[in-house]
Amino acid sequence: MTETEIRARVAEAIAAQAGREGPLLPMLHAIQEAVGHVPDEAVPMLADAMQTTTAEIHGVISFYHDFKRAPQGRHRLRLCRAESCQAVGAAALHDEVRERIGLDWGETTPDGRLTLEAVYCLGLCACGPAAMLDDRPLGRVDAEGLAAAVAEVR
Ligand code: FES
């Protein structure tokens, strides 16, 4: 997607939500839906539309972790870092998984196939260490099982 196309999609997303009450979050969701993330170009455009500062817009985007600032992978691996999973060895597992797949938290493979994310509870606490690969919950995972699951998705 060219910068011109990105700007056009952002402008459309902003215009489509402009009449709403409290439109900033709907605008951000619409931009992410249209572009795949909230690009840098969107920040001043949103500030103009909302008649506020770019710092204010940055603050909102960074507060909500679901808004992504960079293109995301086609697949998303989320590893739970919350207490119950930590109690059953998640930290050591995560070190091994990050080493195997070559990604740190928040990174995406150069081919755009996979993004690695940290989450803080997936509601699978009784089955820790827990993970989600796209919409697929994975419980009592080990590094080999996760690497195999990741190898299956293209
Ligand atoms: S603490 Fe990991 S799923 Fe709840």
Side-chain angles (χ1 to χ4, degrees), residues 32 35-40 67-73 106-108 115:
Q32 187 154 282
V35 181
H37 65 287
V38 180
D40 290 342
F67 294 128
K68 306 302 180 193
R69 297 306 315 274
Q72 301 295 291
E107 290 183 345
T108 299
T115 297

Side-chain angles (χ1 to χ4, degrees), residues 73-136:
R74 294 185 298 284
H75 300 283
R76 177 165 68 155
L77 177 62
R78 291 179 286 171
L79 302 179
C80 177
R81 300 183 74 185
E83 288 80 3
S84 294
C85 288
Q86 292 291 339
V88 289
L93 170 70
H94 297 169
D95 288 346
E96 189 175 346
V97 169
R98 287 183 296 155
E99 177 76 29
R100 278 183 183 228
I101 64 176
L103 293 177
D104 207 342
W105 303 116
E107 290 183 345
T108 299
T109 53
D111 63 0
R113 188 171 70 90
L114 184 74
T115 297
L116 178 65
E117 291 181 9
V119 292
Y120 295 87
C121 197
L122 290 161
L124 299 167
C125 316
C127 302
M132 288 274 279
L133 183 56
D134 296 325
D135 294 328
R136 183 173 148 210

